[in-house]
């Protein structure tokens, strides 16, 4: 996919993006991916659509399905995408459903880990808002497909990894919550940082800051990942460190979503 700039694989196909929550990377990378594969895009602006007249998600999906070969949907309600998929025959791709899941981000994260370090035995430390951050939910679940992964969770107690996910992972992955960030850093291969999701929490939490100072005790060969957008948890003076992989992650998102669209649209 990296080599394809003007592909024709999805010529004559139309992808519609419907985002009920803000997005920069997910939406633009899906659109760029479709254009690179030779397809066309419709982008529904929900602020200007019949959603404002009270149209239900189901009716919007039924309607858009008549014009499209695939729908990419982001919605603030957990499981909204699964529900939407029940009213249409065409593929619906989950671009984030509230505090639920973000499966295409998980795939691009996995692709990044594989590219940067290979997928062997490793320690992955997830830092930040593990309760509301949907990217860590999907990534953690995806990691159960691989052997030798150890997970360390670092978060305020109130923002810890949801129980249903911890239980889902339990038979496959060793999960630890009793390690400090300072100790975790020393043994970590992938430091996966997330922002505190202020829009989903009423309390204020002090974010963990991954400073260059802190990274001094990290392995030479490790990576720092973040789904972005970032806030103060990832200061920009980290960006020049070769271990900072978050912008490489962004680029991988394009290739991964090209692969996803090619697979999904052709299959149906
Ligand atoms: C994330 C999201 O929307 O879940 N961003 C993304 O898609 N890359 C992370 C976030 O909003 O914090």
């Amino acid at each position: 996919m990296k080599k394809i700039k003007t592909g024709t694989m999805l010529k004559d196909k139309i992808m519609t993006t419907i985002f009920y929550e803000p997005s920069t990377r997910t939406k633009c990378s899906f659109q760029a991916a479709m254009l690179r594969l030779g397809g066309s895009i419709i982008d529904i602006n929900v602020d200007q659509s019949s959603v404002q007249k009270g149209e239900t998600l189901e009716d919007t999906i039924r309607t858009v399905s008549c014009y499209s070969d695939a729908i990419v949907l982001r919605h603030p309600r957990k499981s909204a995408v699964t529900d939407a998929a029940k009213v249409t025959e065409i593929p619906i791709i989950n671009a984030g459903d509230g505090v639920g899941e973000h499966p295409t981000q998980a795939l691009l994260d996995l692709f990044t880990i594989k590219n940067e370090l290979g997928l062997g035995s490793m320690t992955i430390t997830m830092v930040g808002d593990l309760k509301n951050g949907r990217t860590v939910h999907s990534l953690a679940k995806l990691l159960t497909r691989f052997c030798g992964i150890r997970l360390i969770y670092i978060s305020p107690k109130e923002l810890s990894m949801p129980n249903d996910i911890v239980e889902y992972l339990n038979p496959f992955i060793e999960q630890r919550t009793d390690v400090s960030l300072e100790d975790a850093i020393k043994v970590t291969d992938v430091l996966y940082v997330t922002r505190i999701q202020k829009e989903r929490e009423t309390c204020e939490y002090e974010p963990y800051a991954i400073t260059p100072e802190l990274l001094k005790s990290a392995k030479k060969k490790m990576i720092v990942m973040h789904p972005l957008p970032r806030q103060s948890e990832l200061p920009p003076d980290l960006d020049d460190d070769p271990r900072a992989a978050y912008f490489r992650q962004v680029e991988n998102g394009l290739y991964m979503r090209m692969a996803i669209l090619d697979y999904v649209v052709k299959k149906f």
Side-chain angles (χ1 to χ4, degrees), residues 120-123 146-150 172:
S121 164
M122 63 170 74
T123 300
F146 301 89
C147 293
I149 310 276
R150 229 170 38 123
F172 311 100

Side-chain angles (χ1 to χ4, degrees), residues 26 74 102 105 134-135 195 197 227-229:
T26 306
R74 172 171 287 187
H102 197 343
Q105 178 75 38
R134 55 196 169 202
T135 67
R195 74 184 170 92
Q197 306 250 322
L228 302 179

Side-chain angles (χ1 to χ4, degrees), residues 21-23 25-26 74 95-96 98 101-102 105 108 132-135 194-197 199-200 226-229 257:
E21 278 187 348
S23 169
R25 276 152 291 272
T26 306
R74 172 171 287 187
E101 300 246 11
H102 197 343
Q105 178 75 38
L108 78 88
N132 301 301
R134 55 196 169 202
T135 67
T194 63
R195 74 184 170 92
I196 305 282
Q197 306 250 322
E199 70 275 33
R200 305 193 204 277
H226 193 302
L228 302 179
R257 287 174 175 132

